[in-house]
Amino acid sequence: MSADALFSLQSQSTSVDYSGKVPVEHLDYDYIKKCKDVKYLEKILRLLRSGDEGIYPHLIKFCESHLEKLDPKSRALRKENPVATAASIPVEEWSHIVDELKTWEEETRKTENLLEQQSMFDDCVKENMPPIRGSKCSVPLIQNSDPKKKRNPSKRALPRDYQEWDKFDVDKECERIDGNIVRNDQPAKVKTKVDTSLLTQQEKLILANREKDKGNEAFRANDYEEAVTYYSRSLSIMSTVAVYNNRAQAEINLKHWNNAMKDCQRVLELEPGNMKALLRRATVHKHVGNFQMAAEDLRMVLREEPHNAAATQLLSETEKRMRETQPGQQSKGKKILIQEVEEDEEEDNSNNEPKAEQTACPVEHSQLVGGEESSAAPVERGDMGNAQKKPHSRGDGGPQSESSNSHHGHWRSKGGSSDKYKVTQESKEKVVNGTGKRGSTASFQADQSSSSSKGNTVGGNAGETVNLDAPCGALPLPLARLKNEGNLLFKNGQFADALEKYSQAIQGYTESGIDSPEDLCILYSNRAACYLKDGNSQDCIQDCTKALELQPFSLKPLLRRAMAYESLERYRKAYVDYKTVLQIDISVQAAHDSVNRITRMLIDQDGSEWREKLPDIPLVPLSAQQHRREEPPSAEVLQARAEKAARDAERKAEVRFTALKQEGNEFVKKGQYQDALGKYTECLKLKPEECAIYTNRALCYLKLERFTDAKQDCDAALKLEPTNKKAFYRRALANKGLKDYLACSSDLQEVLQQDPNVQEAEKELEEVTVLLRQSLANASPVKARKIVPITEVEGDEETSAVPNPDSSCREDVTINLQPTNAYEFGQALNLARSSGNMVACAELLASTTPEMLPQFLSTQLDGHTLSFIMQALDSHLLEKDPNQVYKHLNHLHTADRFSVVLMLLEKDERRHMTQLFEHLSAVESTEFTKNDVQNLANKYI
């Protein structure tokens, strides 16, 4: 019998006996090729694989390929992978696996042996073992046992008979078993500190991690007090940033703001710039009312992590609270303390400019004060302050307005028209809320009017008023009111009530006899959204179909009908609607996702021929395809684009300005005033009216001793802000450098008139007053001075000691060899160093008391100055007075910043210092010995 005959006989039979034996005639290529019964093919394949009828590899492979075409997921096609053994793995890979296992086994054994040898570790753990959470009893770890009582293994308990079991007292036996349990009315209190005096470093690390894990477990269980206890135990063993951060979050959840602030400050001391610590400190500041401090911390976080959702949300809440509390606060005057600090220029908090006059203080925010207890974003989640991104939800959409958001295109019909973004002029309709983004299936909000009508307004969710009598297309006022009420109810989640309002509006539309297909389409589409929300997919499909009959290729009805089809598992029709939506607007991401999802379902359901079973997909005309429509921009659009371009340019300039200013501030902090000067100059090109930049650049000019330029910048700053104290103070310093003591005194008096508490201005005024009197009495030689002439070097203007580089004539420069204060000493030393006159420097040091040298150099000491002093002592003063050199060296190392300057010395400068001590050790003196010189050299070299 041929294969065709066999197959025809099989097809004539009503059913196939799958339990019977497969005939040999069915083990044929033609039969298997024509067989469409998957279950019977699986039976044939099992028979061929068993080998009962012989081994036919090609036939087995042919049967498998044919079965795979019919059912790719057939269980008969699954093949088990053999267990991997040494024979199936390459020799090198197998040896690598064995070596790793042996290494792991050896390390584990060593760790266990090490822990077993340290009995103190186990005792410490047993001593501080906490009770089980939630219980009021604790079981002692070491049970008292009598060593004299030993069990005799030879004596075994005899089995009991059934009568003895009847006499067994269960309660008495339970009391005997529970006799050793110690019951307490209150749970044992866990100690917050662990004695680790006898533990090794490795044991401390293990124990600290164990306590931290216990704290994490308690935190996840929302037992924050217990979490704080375990974190404290871990910190008493070993301090780590992670544990401080965790304890800070637990303290925030307990509203212990002071403790949380301390932990955050400790983290920032150990690791400056820690994002979690900044975020949690901002949370604390917000709760206690320090909104300005909180905003500063959050801006620091967002500079490093611009996409931090928790910081962004918390910053918006903080700024909102700041705006709310700002009108009720009274601004208080701010006092500054001006102090010249050369090596550490900190950034001014008020205008982000470096402040050389503010006293150095640790970076501490203001102390905690009372504030509200509204929880912030990180606290609400309980996620230890870590920022998380919320997934986008997939919704079905809400009621649509009568604007073209319902159609996303131009489709005109009798009595109505639509527009994509705004309502037509004929309808004179004002719509507040439409879809959020084009093609988005997120909640389509109900129509609300921005205007209010007396007696017809209700409050919305956000506190705004909604005009229920707002016009809606061509609908009469009663029907428009019903539609607006339905939109408001839908927005508030009352879908059944909204459905009733839409139904009344549809019925009233039919009875009124008006002709506005667009408005009726919107009503059907909105009611379909209510049906979809309530799970009534069948009625949703009917309303969407009616809406599409009125307005073909409307986007929202198509989306809602596709979702309803998908919920009813009618995937083919849902696929057609989703593809139609994508023809209208290819940017609808929800349609893309649904098409991909339904495609997989259709392949599983219909196999490789699933496309042939789909209904016809309608062809959307080009006029209805949004992504193909190109309209010339209107005047408003062009104006908006121009304004946007101007805003973008302004924003880029602002970003560039901020970056340049920040770089200049960093250069000032590092003492690189020339580099900072260039940055501030570029800032002024972008914003020539920024007063803070002029004062910043004036500071750089002062440090570079360019007093004329500094004075010009201060004058420019005072033109912009006539009461700027920094500009007055720095102009006073510039006038002092220019030896215009009268103008300097006038500027300092202006600073003190604005703020009498500026101590540095008072000090400078006293010094300038003395200099002014000396300059006025310079004609009569009241005080003898020793003058050292400095010869002019032709062509080298930098050696000139004249402070004004713009002066055309030069004058002889004198060095005051008898200074009375640090300023005069610094001026004399700078003049000698700028001209390279080591003789003058040696005479200046010879006339200076060694005890006063550290005080005079407190603000002048740097690497070049120290090297110049060493060379002057070695080349000129050592031969004349070695005892004076030894005294100077014995006091010089006590000056401020000496250790920092010593680390920054170059190789040649260190060599000069070594030569000085070698020459000094060769000198014989009664005041010091060679051993004294060696001990002193250890502090320098």
Side-chain angles (χ1 to χ4, degrees):
M1 183 178 294
S2 64
D4 295 337
L6 289 173
F7 191 80
S8 61
L9 289 175
Q10 183 184 6
S11 60
Q12 291 176 1
S13 60
T14 57
S15 62
V16 179
D17 186 10
Y18 297 105
S19 61
K21 186 176 180 181
V22 177
V24 180
E25 292 82 2
H26 292 180
L27 305 180
D28 182 70
Y29 284 96
D30 293 336
Y31 181 84
I32 293 174
K33 182 178 180 180
K34 296 179 180 180
C35 181
K36 301 296 183 181
D37 192 341
V38 176
K39 192 173 181 180
Y40 192 70
L41 277 176
E42 290 177 352
K43 187 174 182 179
I44 294 175
L45 182 59
R46 284 194 293 269
L47 178 62
L48 291 173
R49 288 176 177 174
S50 65
D52 294 342
E53 299 294 339
I55 303 299
Y56 307 100
H58 296 286
L59 185 60
I60 295 174
K61 187 175 181 180
F62 177 78
C63 185
E64 289 176 351
S65 62
H66 184 61
L67 180 60
E68 185 177 3
K69 293 179 182 178
L70 297 177
D71 187 6
K73 294 186 177 181
S74 175
R75 298 178 64 87
L77 297 176
R78 300 179 183 177
K79 296 180 180 179
E80 296 182 358
N81 294 328
V83 179
T85 60
S88 60
I89 297 177
V91 178
E92 296 180 357
E93 185 177 356
W94 178 258
S95 61
H96 181 66
I97 294 173
V98 172
D99 292 341
E100 287 185 348
L101 289 174
K102 289 181 179 179
T103 303
W104 172 80
E105 185 179 3
E106 291 175 359
E107 292 177 354
T108 305
R109 188 179 295 108
K110 288 180 182 179
T111 305
E112 290 179 354
N113 294 337
L114 181 62
L115 295 178
E116 289 176 358
Q117 292 174 3
Q118 301 291 337
S119 59
M120 190 63 192
F121 179 80
D122 294 335
D123 296 340
C124 180
V125 175
K126 293 175 182 178
E127 179 183 357
N128 300 283
M129 179 66 69
I132 300 173
R133 185 186 295 115
S135 66
K136 293 186 177 181
C137 62
S138 60
V139 182
L141 295 176
I142 303 177
Q143 300 289 347
N144 297 327
S145 59
D146 190 358
K148 296 181 180 180
K149 296 181 181 180
K150 298 182 179 180
R151 296 182 180 179
N152 189 356
S154 61
K155 294 182 179 180
R156 297 180 179 178
L158 297 176
R160 299 180 177 180
D161 55 8
Y162 291 105
Q163 294 180 355
E164 188 174 354
W165 280 110
D166 294 337
K167 301 176 182 179
F168 185 76
D169 191 350
V170 179
D171 296 334
K172 185 176 180 180
E173 186 68 18
C174 290
E175 291 179 359
R176 185 183 67 80
I177 294 174
D178 297 340
N180 291 328
I181 297 180
V182 180
R183 299 186 179 274
N184 299 324
D185 295 335
Q186 296 180 354
K189 187 176 180 180
V190 183
K191 298 180 180 179
T192 57
K193 293 186 178 180
V194 180
D195 184 13
T196 59
S197 57
L198 301 178
L199 298 183
T200 63
Q201 191 67 22
Q202 183 180 4
E203 292 172 347
K204 288 181 181 179
L205 179 60
I206 295 174
L207 187 57
N209 290 333
R210 184 180 299 176
E211 297 298 327
K212 183 187 74 171
D213 293 338
K214 293 178 183 177
N216 294 343
E217 182 182 355
F219 189 97
R220 287 191 291 269
N222 297 331
D223 192 349
Y224 304 118
E225 293 183 356
E226 186 172 347
V228 170
T229 301
Y230 284 118
Y231 290 144
S232 302
R233 287 169 62 87
S234 177
L235 291 172
S236 67
I237 301 168
M238 182 177 295
S239 298
T240 58
V241 171
V243 180
Y244 273 118
N245 264 329
N246 292 359
R247 191 172 70 173
Q249 184 62 54
E251 297 284 6
I252 289 174
N253 291 353
L254 293 173
K255 296 181 174 60
H256 297 166
W257 311 121
N258 287 322
N259 297 336
M261 176 61 71
K262 292 178 182 178
D263 287 343
C264 294
Q265 296 286 23
R266 181 58 178 161
V267 171
L268 294 174
E269 291 175 3
L270 296 174
E271 186 180 321
N274 186 282
M275 294 296 104
K276 287 186 179 180
L278 288 172
L279 187 60
R280 291 167 189 177
R281 188 172 70 174
T283 304
V284 175
H285 280 313
K286 175 180 176 294
H287 280 286
V288 300
N290 295 335
F291 303 116
Q292 184 65 33
M293 302 296 183
E296 292 177 4
D297 286 344
L298 292 171
R299 292 190 185 100
M300 292 177 62
V301 173
L302 291 176
R303 277 198 296 268
E304 297 295 331
E305 299 178 0
H307 302 291
N308 192 321
T312 304
Q313 181 181 358
L314 191 58
L315 180 60
S316 62
E317 295 176 359
T318 304
E319 291 177 346
K320 181 180 179 182
R321 296 299 305 274
M322 288 173 62
R323 289 191 295 269
E324 292 175 356
T325 57
Q326 188 174 4
Q329 296 178 351
Q330 295 180 355
S331 61
K332 298 182 179 180
K334 184 178 179 182
K335 298 181 179 180
I336 61 172
L337 185 61
I338 303 177
Q339 179 178 355
E340 199 68 28
V341 181
E342 183 174 351
E343 75 281 5
D344 187 12
E345 301 292 340
E346 296 188 358
E347 186 175 345
D348 193 348
N349 294 331
S350 61
N351 53 13
N352 292 330
E353 62 171 313
K355 50 179 181 180
E357 60 270 29
Q358 186 169 350
T359 54
C361 60
V363 184
E364 289 282 347
H365 291 297
S366 61
Q367 65 271 17
L368 298 179
V369 295
E372 59 277 331
E373 298 182 355
S374 59
S375 58
V379 182
E380 291 175 356
R381 295 195 313 270
D383 59 352
M384 309 292 286
N386 298 325
Q388 298 177 355
K389 293 184 178 180
K390 296 181 180 180
H392 296 287
S393 59
R394 172 179 171 267
D396 59 297
Q400 63 194 74
S401 65
E402 44 283 292
S403 66
S404 70
N405 289 337
S406 61
H407 310 115
H408 289 262
H410 288 285
W411 302 283
R412 300 183 180 274
S413 61
K414 184 177 180 181
S417 63
S418 62
D419 190 309
K420 181 178 179 181
Y421 295 109
K422 59 184 180 179
V423 184
T424 57
Q425 295 294 331
E426 292 79 11
S427 63
K428 296 181 181 179
E429 180 182 5
K430 296 181 181 179
V431 181
V432 175
N433 295 324
T435 55
K437 291 184 179 180
R438 186 182 67 175
S440 172
T441 58
S443 175
F444 298 110
Q445 297 180 353
D447 307 332
Q448 298 179 11
S449 174
S450 59
S451 62
S452 60
S453 177
K454 184 177 179 180
N456 296 303
T457 58
V458 295
N461 290 337
E464 74 275 10
T465 58
V466 180
N467 185 11
L468 296 179
D469 290 335
C472 298
L475 293 177
L477 184 60
L479 300 182
R481 183 179 180 84
L482 288 174
K483 180 175 179 292
N484 291 331
E485 290 177 354
N487 292 347
L488 184 61
L489 291 170
F490 188 95
K491 180 179 179 181
N492 295 332
Q494 301 172 357
F495 306 120
D497 296 335
L499 188 147
E500 182 179 355
K501 295 293 182 182
Y502 292 138
S503 299
Q504 294 177 8
I506 292 172
Q507 184 178 359
Y509 178 92
T510 306
E511 295 174 355
S512 62
I514 61 176
D515 187 9
S516 179
E518 179 186 4
D519 294 325
L520 185 58
C521 171
I522 294 173
L523 290 174
Y524 276 121
S525 179
N526 289 0
R527 192 172 70 172
C530 298
Y531 282 133
L532 189 61
K533 285 290 186 180
D534 288 338
N536 190 350
S537 301
Q538 194 63 43
D539 290 339
C540 174
I541 293 171
Q542 293 179 4
D543 277 0
C544 289
T545 303
K546 293 178 182 178
L548 291 171
E549 291 175 356
L550 296 168
Q551 292 287 331
F553 305 115
S554 296
L555 193 62
K556 290 184 181 179
L558 279 170
L559 276 173
R560 290 165 185 166
R561 190 173 70 176
M563 293 177 185
Y565 279 139
E566 186 178 359
S567 65
L568 294 175
E569 297 184 0
R570 297 162 70 175
Y571 298 122
R572 296 188 184 95
K573 293 186 176 181
Y575 181 87
V576 171
D577 282 348
Y578 280 129
K579 293 295 286 186
T580 307
V581 168
L582 292 177
Q583 289 186 65
I584 298 172
D585 190 349
I586 199 173
S587 65
V588 182
Q589 187 59 37
H592 283 288
D593 298 338
S594 300
V595 166
N596 295 333
R597 181 174 59 255
I598 294 175
T599 300
R600 291 191 294 269
M601 294 179 180
L602 291 175
I603 291 175
D604 295 341
Q605 175 180 327
D606 300 332
S608 59
E609 301 176 353
W610 65 277
R611 294 184 183 275
E612 301 175 0
K613 300 180 181 181
L614 287 175
D616 294 336
I617 299 176
L619 183 62
V620 178
L622 294 177
S623 60
Q625 296 181 17
Q626 276 198 7
H627 58 277
R628 295 182 181 274
R629 187 186 313 130
E630 296 181 0
E631 298 179 357
S634 60
E636 293 81 1
V637 174
L638 293 175
Q639 183 180 0
R641 290 178 182 177
E643 294 176 356
K644 183 177 182 300
R647 288 195 301 269
D648 292 341
E650 184 179 355
R651 180 179 57 82
K652 291 179 180 178
E654 183 68 27
V655 172
R656 175 65 176 165
F657 174 81
T658 304
L660 288 172
K661 183 178 179 181
Q662 185 67 26
E663 292 175 5
N665 294 346
E666 294 297 330
F667 282 132
V668 170
K669 292 179 181 179
K670 298 175 182 178
Q672 302 174 6
Y673 302 110
Q674 190 63 42
D675 296 333
L677 195 64
K679 298 298 181 182
Y680 291 141
T681 303
E682 293 182 19
C683 286
L684 289 175
K685 293 179 181 178
L686 296 173
K687 285 188 176 182
E689 303 298 327
E690 190 72 17
C691 179
I693 303 301
Y694 284 108
T695 56
N696 285 5
R697 194 170 70 170
L699 175 64
C700 298
Y701 282 136
L702 288 174
K703 295 298 182 180
L704 297 174
E705 298 183 1
R706 297 170 59 177
F707 301 115
T708 303
D709 296 333
K711 183 178 179 181
Q712 292 176 358
D713 276 356
C714 292
D715 291 339
L718 289 173
K719 288 181 181 178
L720 298 172
E721 293 183 11
T723 59
N724 191 293
K725 287 183 287 186
K726 287 185 178 181
F728 276 116
Y729 180 75
R730 291 174 183 172
R731 190 173 70 174
L733 296 180
N735 287 325
K736 184 179 179 182
L738 294 173
K739 296 185 179 180
D740 189 356
Y741 302 124
L742 186 61
C744 177
S745 175
S746 176
D747 288 338
L748 291 174
Q749 289 176 6
E750 181 67 26
V751 174
L752 292 174
Q753 185 178 0
Q754 294 186 22
D755 191 352
N757 297 324
V758 182
Q759 299 177 0
E760 285 298 318
E762 293 180 358
K763 185 178 179 181
E764 288 290 341
L765 184 59
E766 293 175 0
E767 295 180 5
V768 170
T769 304
V770 175
L771 294 175
L772 182 59
R773 290 173 182 174
Q774 291 178 359
S775 63
L776 294 176
N778 194 20
S780 58
V782 178
K783 182 177 180 181
R785 291 188 178 184
K786 188 172 181 180
I787 299 176
V788 179
I790 298 178
T791 58
E792 289 290 338
V793 180
E794 185 177 357
D796 188 4
E797 295 183 358
E798 294 181 358
T799 59
S800 173
V802 180
N804 187 359
D806 297 331
S807 178
S808 59
C809 60
R810 297 184 178 271
E811 59 183 3
D812 293 336
V813 181
T814 61
I815 296 179
N816 181 12
L817 298 181
Q818 294 180 356
T820 59
N821 50 47
Y823 177 77
E824 293 180 358
F825 182 87
Q827 290 290 331
L829 183 61
N830 288 334
L831 289 175
R833 186 167 67 87
S834 62
S835 61
N837 195 338
M838 292 188 182
V839 177
C841 180
E843 294 182 4
L844 177 64
L845 293 172
S847 62
T848 303
T849 306
E851 290 80 4
M852 297 299 297
L853 186 60
Q855 182 179 354
F856 286 166
L857 289 174
S858 60
T859 59
Q860 300 289 334
L861 190 61
D862 57 15
H864 299 297
T865 302
L866 181 61
S867 176
F868 185 71
I869 291 174
M870 291 295 177
Q871 295 180 38
L873 292 175
D874 188 18
S875 60
H876 297 86
L877 191 58
L878 182 61
E879 296 179 359
K880 298 179 181 179
D881 192 355
N883 295 331
Q884 183 81 353
V885 173
Y886 178 79
K887 292 178 181 179
H888 277 307
L889 293 175
N890 197 23
H891 289 86
L892 180 58
H893 68 85
T894 62
D896 294 341
R897 301 167 50 203
F898 177 80
S899 58
V900 177
V901 173
L902 193 63
M903 290 188 297
L904 300 177
L905 289 179
E906 298 180 356
K907 185 177 181 181
D908 293 339
E909 295 171 345
R910 293 182 182 275
R911 181 173 54 82
H912 293 316
M913 188 180 297
T914 305
Q915 291 177 359
L916 172 60
F917 280 101
E918 289 178 355
H919 297 162
L920 185 61
S921 62
V923 175
E924 294 183 1
S925 176
T926 57
E927 295 189 6
F928 60 89
T929 62
K930 188 175 181 179
N931 191 21
D932 295 336
V933 176
Q934 184 64 34
N935 293 334
L936 185 60
N938 292 334
K939 299 178 181 179
Y940 286 83
I941 304 173

